[in-house]
Amino acid sequence: TMTRSLGSRGSLCDEAADECDNINVVIRCRPLNDKERQRGDENNLIFPGEGQAWVNMDGMNGQLTQKPKVFTYNVVFEPEALQEDILEHSGVKRLLDMAIDGFSCTIFCYGQTGSGKTHTLTGPPHLFDKGPDMFSESHGLIFRSFVYLFNQLQNRDDQEFTLTASYLEIYNEKVIDLLNIGTNTKPLQVRWSKKKRGFFVENLFEIECAELDDLLAVLEEGLRNRAVASHNMNEYSSRSHTILTVNITSEQKADDGVNLTRNGKINFVDLAGSEMTKKTNSEGKTLEEANNINKSLMVLGTCIAALSDNRKRDGHIPYRDSKLTKLLADSLAGNGVTLMIACVSPAKSNISETINTLRYATRAKRIRTKPIIVMDPKEKVIMSLQREVSLLREENAHL
Ligand code: ADP
Ligand code: MG
């Protein structure tokens, strides 16, 4: 059960307990760093509780002389929040449980470069120098989710699970396999599959993970290869998106011997820096112009805005316009659940980017879709027939 307040580490709004929402938005504010402190940068965010974040527009040492901008979210994590708090209080466990049950789930970190996206998902880079086994307080959400996932699977002895993992990067609309980096690796194609009823990446490595260590090895290998793929380009990591996916197939034997198969998954998405979309967000810019900056991030914003607008949500949602949105379409569109962790800096010098991120997060919060379990169509028919048979039996019994 959730506690109402995390003390100095954050707060939850009343709606945080509403577990039916298909997109939840939480905010994480990182601490001021040494550089910012040294140059006299001020703390411009105020956290009064109840899931609120106030932006102090004066920036005068915390004194408010004019009305602050007020934003409200499901959960707000303050700079003191621990890595553990993100797993415990942002609804991640519910998403992981749903992925086990056959839903498509996505957790993505959004925010400007340096706001703490990678820290939140992965933790500091040195963590994996000694191998992934050394547990530390600073391990990120991915590591913690893996541990939780395997614990949950062990509790379900009526089902058999097969887990596979993949790890890819999208840079400049090119998909690179982070588990298969070679000297002449060609970008992979995103295709649509009738059988999978969705988009998929052709020839992407999918590693079977029988144990926790296998999943951790995938994470470690991907992180190592990401550093290789970046060719020491400064802006590479801030302009690329990474998606680590865990596919969970479960087989459940029903009483009448018919197996029930479910295919759930969870995507962990470390997005490109949101400052890249600044130029394209202004009026009159077209998607074509965004091409060279960061098309995927731009289109994700358009999709989220359309999904959250009741008048538009039944109309055309442009998932097909970018690689990222194609690959996340099933989670965003209604087959699944999404958690957005919007990362912000508290520094006065970052105030306009912080407001951009808070606004983006507010728009995303209005998306409401109905999640469905991904099941084989044949099994759906079988299940409905079984239901009918048992209804008939019941009726017969009453005759
Ligand atoms: P991003 O991935 O959004 O560009 P990073 O996660 O790399 O940002 O964070 C930038 C720097 O700030 C890193 O040195 C990181 O360790 C530090 N940092 C980010 N968030 C936190 C936090 N919550 N607590 C402590 N340090 C943090
Ligand atoms: Mg990063």
Side-chain angles (χ1 to χ4, degrees):
T1 54
M2 278 194 182
T3 47
R4 301 309 310 159
S5 166
L6 306 176
S8 64
R9 306 197 320 269
S11 71
L12 294 77
C13 79
D14 278 347
E15 282 175 37
D18 181 5
E19 302 224 320
C20 305
D21 274 2
N22 288 87
I23 180 150
N24 275 313
V25 177
V26 306
I27 303 295
R28 186 181 199 185
C29 179
R30 68 158 168 81
L32 270 185
N33 61 38
D34 289 343
K35 235 197 226 156
E36 287 161 345
R37 248 185 232 114
Q38 274 156 26
R39 65 165 181 246
D41 221 334
E42 289 162 34
N43 203 327
N44 258 64
L45 286 183
I46 298 166
F47 299 101
E50 313 270 312
Q52 288 191 16
W54 292 4
V55 183
N56 176 357
M57 302 307 289
D58 303 322
M60 300 303 289
N61 291 321
Q63 298 251 336
L64 284 172
T65 60
Q66 51 176 313
K67 259 203 200 149
K69 284 192 192 303
V70 176
F71 297 88
T72 308
Y73 305 96
N74 299 109
V75 186
V76 167
F77 295 103
E78 296 175 34
E80 289 79 11
L82 309 171
Q83 295 286 60
E84 184 192 329
D85 291 325
I86 314 297
L87 177 74
E88 294 297 328
H89 301 288
S90 54
V92 172
K93 286 181 172 177
R94 178 180 74 106
L95 252 72
L96 294 167
D97 289 338
M98 289 182 78
I100 297 172
D101 286 335
F103 293 92
S104 285
C105 305
T106 293
I107 297 172
F108 66 86
C109 281
Y110 181 94
Q112 74 178 113
T113 300
S115 59
K117 299 181 294 295
T118 304
H119 178 86
T120 298
L121 283 174
T122 320
H126 66 76
L127 275 184
F128 295 88
D129 292 351
K130 295 189 200 74
D133 299 336
M134 309 276 291
F135 187 77
S136 128
E137 291 294 297
S138 29
H139 267 110
L141 193 56
I142 295 178
F143 184 97
R144 289 163 194 276
S145 297
F146 287 175
V147 174
Y148 177 81
L149 205 56
F150 269 95
N151 273 333
Q152 291 301 98
L153 295 185
Q154 263 148 30
N155 294 336
R156 303 203 186 192
D157 19 322
D158 59 325
Q159 293 165 58
E160 287 217 5
F161 294 98
T162 312
L163 267 63
T164 63
S166 60
Y167 205 171
L168 62 84
E169 178 158 51
I170 303 172
Y171 179 76
N172 200 16
E173 288 302 286
K174 291 192 180 73
V175 178
I176 300 155
D177 191 341
L178 287 178
L179 301 179
N180 183 22
I181 297 272
T183 39
N184 48 7
T185 327
K186 288 208 184 76
L188 303 177
Q189 298 300 315
V190 175
R191 302 202 189 281
W192 199 84
S193 150
K194 208 170 173 180
K195 187 162 161 267
K196 299 182 188 189
R197 277 153 292 137
F199 293 100
F200 74 104
V201 180
E202 195 175 53
N203 296 327
L204 184 69
F205 268 35
E206 271 193 31
I207 313 290
E208 196 164 327
C209 297
E211 291 171 37
L212 175 61
D213 278 353
D214 300 332
L215 268 186
L216 296 175
V218 164
L219 173 62
E220 197 189 12
E221 169 81 5
L223 290 174
R224 200 174 28 234
N225 284 336
R226 192 186 185 195
V228 174
S230 72
H231 306 296
N232 295 325
M233 268 170 64
N234 244 345
E235 48 169 43
Y236 191 97
S237 77
S238 65
R239 289 203 170 193
S240 73
H241 317 279
T242 62
I243 307 181
L244 192 157
T245 305
V246 182
N247 300 291
I248 307 169
T249 302
S250 81
E251 293 258 354
Q252 189 166 21
K253 258 216 160 55
D255 296 338
D256 51 13
V258 181
N259 275 4
L260 179 62
T261 308
R262 289 175 179 174
N263 298 301
K265 71 171 164 192
I266 179 117
N267 296 311
F268 297 92
V269 188
D270 193 346
L271 290 175
S274 57
E275 69 280 3
M276 302 305 171
T277 53
K278 199 162 48 185
K279 291 195 191 81
T280 58
N281 273 343
S282 54
E283 297 288 327
K285 297 274 176 176
T286 62
L287 280 179
E288 277 68 41
E289 284 173 279
N291 261 342
N292 303 324
I293 303 169
N294 200 321
K295 191 172 172 180
S296 278
L297 200 55
M298 164 81 187
V299 176
L300 178 66
T302 311
C303 290
I304 285 183
L307 282 167
S308 63
D309 184 337
N310 279 330
R311 289 161 302 170
K312 287 189 192 149
R313 56 161 307 140
D314 294 325
H316 174 67
I317 313 279
Y319 300 113
R320 285 175 173 270
D321 289 352
S322 81
K323 301 275 161 62
L324 179 76
T325 45
K326 277 179 181 174
L327 296 177
L328 300 184
D330 57 348
S331 297
L332 289 170
N335 292 358
V337 243
T338 300
L339 169 69
M340 170 176 171
I341 304 174
C343 299
V344 293
S345 151
K348 183 180 180 182
S349 60
N350 291 134
I351 192 167
S352 66
E353 286 300 341
T354 295
I355 291 173
N356 280 345
T357 299
L358 293 174
R359 283 199 182 127
Y360 190 97
T362 299
R363 269 196 316 188
K365 204 177 59 155
R366 291 194 212 113
I367 302 179
R368 272 163 206 267
T369 56
K370 206 172 191 183
I372 58 163
I373 292 183
V374 180
M375 232 189 270
D376 195 300
K378 260 186 289 176
E379 275 158 8
K380 260 191 201 162
V381 174
I382 293 172
M383 268 188 70
S384 70
L385 287 175
Q386 282 172 335
R387 221 171 286 137
E388 238 167 85
V389 168
S390 69
L391 279 176
L392 287 172
R393 276 203 195 115
E394 243 173 75
E395 272 176 34
N396 263 343
H398 289 105
L399 284 179

